[in-house]
């Protein structure tokens, strides 16, 4: 097995263990190598792109990769095929998820140009197919017109001009980590998720407050589940009615 690049020896071992423990991965060594290439890109770009905080550089694997791969079984259970990742930042959790499940079609929404450039570089360097990066905010994306082609991320991506599509995507799952309140995400995602689809968010210490705020105006959403996602992290899943 080729040794992962960058990080301390203990981090390399943890990365290999996480890859091996992720259900449904046929080649854990290949996943480990791809994840290590991704982390090397983060370390190389972080000074100019502010992808993660300096304090988090020492726990890219123990926190960020671990939290990202922890949602793979949940995504499997939901049976999704197309994901819109909102506020993608440095690529967590969507890049590790895509590496673990290459068959997923994913679109990354990131308003900051330096970060979107980084994400495109990652997609190119790791040869990720059905992987699109759009430089925009989710609010204007949600206001775009929808057509029958909106149900295909590939067709929506074909309409992109100036880094943003002309059509509104309608996907199985909108996912967001450390982006806005649950109430705001639910409101913005109403037109981006197909009926019967889901919104998946990562929440921390203010979970109960955010759920209470969302329940005051729930819109077309039901609370599907709240599940532990690691130390101090809860996965909140809303289902679109």
């Amino acid at each position: 097995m080729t040794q992962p690049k960058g990080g301390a020896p203990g981090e390399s071992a943890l990365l290999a263990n996480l890859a091996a423990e992720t259900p449904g991965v046929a080649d854990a060594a290949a996943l480990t190598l791809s994840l290590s290439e991704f982390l090397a890109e983060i370390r190389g770009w972080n000074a100019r792109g502010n992808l993660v905080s300096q304090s988090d550089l020492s726990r890219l694997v123990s926190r960020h990769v671990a939290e990202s791969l922890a949602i793979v079984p949940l995504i499997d259970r939901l049976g999704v095929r197309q994901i819109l990742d909102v506020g993608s930042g440095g690529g967590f959790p969507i890049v590790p998820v895509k590496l673990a499940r290459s068959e997923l079609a994913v679109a990354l929404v990131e308003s900051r140009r330096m970060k979107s450039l980084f994400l495109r570089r990652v997609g190119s360097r790791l040869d990720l197919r059905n992987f699109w990066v759009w430089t925009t905010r989710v609010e204007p994306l949600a206001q775009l017109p929808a057509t029958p082609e909106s149900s295909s991320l590939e067709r929506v991506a074909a309409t992109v001009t100036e880094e943003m599509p002309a059509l509104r995507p309608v996907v199985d799952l909108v996912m967001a980590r450390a982006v806005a309140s649950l109430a705001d995400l639910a409101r913005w995602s109403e037109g981006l998720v197909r009926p019967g689809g889901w919104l998946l968010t990562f929440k921390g210490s203010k979970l109960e407050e955010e759920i209470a705020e969302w329940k005051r105006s729930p819109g077309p959403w039901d609370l599907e589940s709240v599940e532990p996602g690691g130390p101090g992290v809860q996965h909140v899943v809303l289902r679109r009615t």
Side-chain angles (χ1 to χ4, degrees), residues 12-192:
S12 297
L14 177 57
L15 188 65
N17 288 339
L18 288 170
E21 292 168 0
T22 301
V25 172
D27 191 340
L31 176 57
T32 302
L33 183 58
S34 295
L35 287 167
S36 68
E37 294 280 359
F38 170 49
L39 299 182
E41 290 293 329
I42 288 179
R43 292 186 178 97
W45 272 64
N46 201 55
R48 49 182 159 164
N50 193 29
L51 304 171
V52 299
S53 67
Q54 286 298 313
S55 62
D56 269 358
L57 283 175
S58 63
R59 52 179 184 166
L60 288 176
V61 177
S62 61
R63 179 187 179 194
H64 295 286
V65 174
E67 288 184 10
S68 299
L69 292 179
I71 66 169
V72 171
L74 174 56
I75 288 173
D76 289 346
R77 190 169 78 241
L78 296 177
V80 305
R81 292 185 293 177
Q82 299 191 120
I83 298 176
L84 187 70
D85 187 69
V86 174
S88 299
F92 297 109
I94 191 60
V95 172
V97 168
K98 174 65 174 174
L99 290 173
R101 293 292 184 268
S102 61
E103 69 276 11
L104 292 172
V106 301
L108 287 63
V109 178
E110 174 51 56
S111 63
R112 289 155 292 191
R113 182 165 175 76
M114 184 61 72
K115 292 186 177 181
S116 66
L117 287 172
F118 165 76
L119 294 167
R120 289 191 182 94
R121 175 182 170 87
V122 166
S124 176
R125 290 293 297 269
L126 298 179
D127 194 25
L128 299 179
R129 309 298 173 88
N130 296 320
F131 179 93
W132 302 279
V133 180
W134 299 331
T135 308
T136 183
R137 297 179 63 84
V138 66
E139 300 95 321
L141 190 69
Q143 298 302 314
L144 293 172
T147 74
E149 294 185 332
S150 292
S151 62
S152 166
L153 276 179
E154 183 176 11
R155 292 180 179 178
V156 172
T159 71
V160 168
T161 57
E162 297 183 357
E163 304 182 346
M164 180 174 173
L167 295 179
R168 168 164 40 102
V170 181
V171 298
D172 303 316
L173 173 71
V174 167
M175 183 163 62
R177 179 178 185 245
V179 178
S181 69
L182 180 62
D184 283 343
L185 285 168
R187 186 173 67 256
W188 298 335
S189 300
E190 285 183 15
L192 297 169

Side-chain angles (χ1 to χ4, degrees), residues 176 178-183 185 201-207 210 232-236:
V179 178
S181 69
L182 180 62
L185 285 168
T201 69
F202 290 56
K203 292 299 175 184
S205 60
K206 296 183 179 179
L207 172 63
E210 293 200 31
V233 178
Q234 299 286 325
H235 299 149
V236 181

